Amino acid sequence: MTIIVTGGAGFIGGNFVHYMLKKYPQDRIVCIDKLTYAGNMSTLAGVMDNENFKFYKTDICDRVAICEIFETEKPDVVINFAAESHVDRSIENPEVFLQTNILGTQVLMDACRKYGIGRYHQVSTDEVYGDLPLDRPDLFFTEETPIHTSSPYSSSKAGADLLVLAYHRTYGLPVTISRCSNNYGPYHFPEKLIPLMIANALNDKALPVYGEGLNVRDWLYVEDHCKAIDLIVRKGRVGEVYNVGGHNEKRNIDIVKIILKELGKPESLITYVADRKGHDMRYAIDPTKISRELGWLPETKFEDGIKKTIAWYLENREWWENIISGEYQNYYEKMYGDRK
Ligand code: NAD
Ligand code: DAU
């Protein structure tokens, strides 16, 4: 089988490439990535020599180039991880989110139609459901929860999801969609909460907590997400959406305190800063459908996953130090410089 993985130089796509090449050594993985600020070839260094792995530096919005790759590689399956993924950046500059996340999805699906691909899988997010109130811990997102987005990022992901379902209904394209909660683990870009807090704590820098730090996210170890996608692609029902998450809700402030404790750093590093605009309060996934239909359950407990993640950042300082020493410094100054 030949699988096209877009966005494979990013966090989840990179973990997926490693996971798949190890689990299915007979399958070919063809990675397409534009290498935006979020894409890192060092994430793929360990697989570049694998004869079953091929890398194309290509924009998923480039219709001609995408069709050429499909023509050459003749994929059986396409899994689309490629996206602009950071909510804060989408608030600053929405346009590229609409281009990549919606129009890029369209280009990939058009190529799937043209070349008769067996499965198109869209990697989506729980953010398409909007948020839940903090005082209703009994409420969870199911696949029937209405789409109700808050940020340009989540709106672009929701737009793509609707387009994917429309391509299924209108053209019969064999699609599936997964909507996952917050991931954490190796190769997570340091603009996101967990790696940002680990990197800042290790550098004895202030840890910028938005608002009061009471927002809740439902954290899933990235390898559990990779396993869910693999299952959905192989055994999921065409035309269906599957929520992925593991009932692991934590307040931001509690995550930050866990990281500080693990690293032996003082809580005095915590700095409360201006809240994110339109900040979603709580995400919480009900994974009943994927558990019942496909037998998926998260395997990594948060207490173990966060320890493994911190150990990875300690052992792979070069990976993230290279990132935060470059253009990222301008981003950090713009986002956090005078944020009070
Ligand atoms: P990321 O930002 O770490 O990586 C995105 C990758 O896509 C990068 O390698 C980037 O270079 C590439 N890319 C961006 N625009 C591209 C384009 N036009 N053409 C080709 N490649 C392009 O993102 P991530 O956190 O790994 O997220 C992957 C996917 O999973 C996204 O679709 C995201 O919406 C979704 N998701 C993420 C999370 C999470 O917690 N990180 C949770 C649920 C869903
Ligand atoms: O729920 C899935 C989504 O999770 C994915 O679709 C997104 O691609 C991914 O980026 C993530 O979105 P979040 O906005 O939840 O993740 P982020 O790491 O940016 O922020 C997590 C929480 O931490 C959020 O409530 C904002 C807060 N935060 C974040 C940063 C970067 C802070 O308090 N301080 C920070 O510096």
Side-chain angles (χ1 to χ4, degrees):
M1 181 150 88
T2 295
I3 303 170
I4 285 189
V5 171
T6 70
F11 165 44
I12 308 175
N15 277 281
F16 188 76
V17 166
H18 287 286
Y19 174 79
M20 294 296 279
L21 285 171
K22 197 165 165 204
K23 181 158 184 205
Y24 305 102
Q26 72 286 4
D27 286 348
R28 289 183 70 237
I29 301 284
V30 175
C31 175
I32 300 177
D33 198 298
K34 185 183 176 182
L35 296 181
T36 68
Y37 78 92
N40 282 289
M41 285 313 287
S42 53
T43 297
L44 296 172
V47 296
M48 289 305 281
D49 289 339
N50 186 321
E51 59 182 19
N52 280 335
F53 179 74
K54 194 152 171 195
F55 181 83
Y56 288 91
K57 180 180 184 310
T58 302
D59 186 336
I60 58 165
C61 301
D62 184 341
R63 190 173 287 275
V64 173
I66 291 295
C67 285
E68 274 173 18
I69 296 172
F70 276 59
E71 186 103 43
T72 309
E73 302 295 345
K74 304 192 174 13
D76 302 289
V77 170
V78 174
I79 306 180
N80 183 23
F81 292 88
E84 288 292 334
S85 69
H86 193 33
V87 174
D88 291 330
R89 288 186 194 251
S90 82
I91 295 167
E92 295 298 307
N93 176 22
E95 193 165 334
V96 67
F97 285 73
L98 307 189
Q99 273 160 2
T100 288
N101 298 1
I102 302 178
L103 298 179
T105 296
Q106 184 211 355
V107 168
L108 289 172
M109 289 195 298
D110 284 344
C112 286
R113 285 185 64 211
K114 186 170 174 189
Y115 295 98
I117 300 322
R119 176 68 65 89
Y120 174 85
H121 181 76
Q122 178 75 358
V123 180
S124 186
T125 168
D126 60 358
E127 295 199 18
V128 300
Y129 299 122
D131 65 351
L132 298 164
L134 289 182
D135 61 357
R136 290 293 307 274
D138 55 314
L139 295 180
F140 297 92
F141 298 137
T142 73
E143 290 79 1
E144 275 69 52
T145 302
I147 301 282
H148 184 81
T149 56
S150 311
S151 70
Y153 163 69
S154 55
S155 303
S156 68
K157 293 296 289 185
D161 280 15
L162 294 174
L163 198 61
V164 172
L165 295 173
Y167 267 56
H168 173 61
R169 176 158 173 167
T170 308
Y171 306 118
L173 190 72
V175 306
T176 38
I177 297 177
S178 51
R179 293 185 180 144
C180 191
S181 60
N182 286 61
N183 286 214
Y184 68 101
Y187 303 113
H188 203 179
F189 195 85
E191 68 190 347
K192 307 285 169 50
L193 179 78
I194 288 182
L196 185 146
M197 296 301 167
I198 294 173
N200 281 18
L202 285 171
N203 288 329
D204 297 307
K205 276 179 72 172
L207 307 194
V209 172
Y210 298 167
E212 295 178 84
L214 302 179
N215 307 65
V216 170
R217 298 292 182 265
D218 181 359
W219 294 95
L220 183 73
Y221 193 63
V222 62
E223 195 178 51
D224 280 325
H225 187 189
C226 295
K227 288 179 182 170
I229 292 171
D230 179 27
L231 262 179
I232 295 167
V233 167
R234 280 163 207 269
K235 297 190 179 143
R237 285 184 294 135
V238 164
E240 293 292 317
V241 173
Y242 292 90
N243 282 356
V244 184
H247 288 302
N248 180 51
E249 293 176 47
K250 299 248 180 283
R251 300 186 312 175
N252 294 340
I253 188 64
D254 297 327
I255 294 276
V256 171
K257 287 182 178 170
I258 289 169
I259 291 170
L260 286 171
K261 193 163 175 227
E262 283 292 328
L263 290 173
K265 298 284 182 177
E267 289 191 5
S268 55
L269 286 174
I270 295 173
T271 311
Y272 292 93
V273 299
D275 211 348
R276 173 184 278 174
K277 291 190 184 88
H279 200 172
D280 282 337
M281 281 319 296
R282 171 176 169 249
Y283 302 147
I285 284 277
D286 175 354
T288 303
K289 180 173 173 180
I290 187 169
S291 302
R292 195 186 53 228
E293 284 190 20
L294 305 180
W296 178 88
L297 281 173
E299 291 167 27
T300 303
K301 287 200 202 95
F302 187 76
E303 306 82 72
D304 301 330
I306 194 71
K307 282 198 176 78
K308 276 204 272 188
T309 302
I310 290 173
W312 189 88
Y313 279 84
L314 284 167
E315 284 157 21
N316 293 274
R317 282 190 92 115
E318 209 184 324
W319 182 88
W320 57 270
E321 278 176 348
N322 276 343
I323 293 171
I324 64 172
S325 65
E327 172 59 27
Y328 181 78
Q329 284 187 356
N330 297 334
Y331 164 80
Y332 198 89
E333 185 52 32
K334 190 168 164 225
M335 284 294 187
Y336 298 96
D338 58 359
R339 188 170 188 153
K340 298 218 168 55

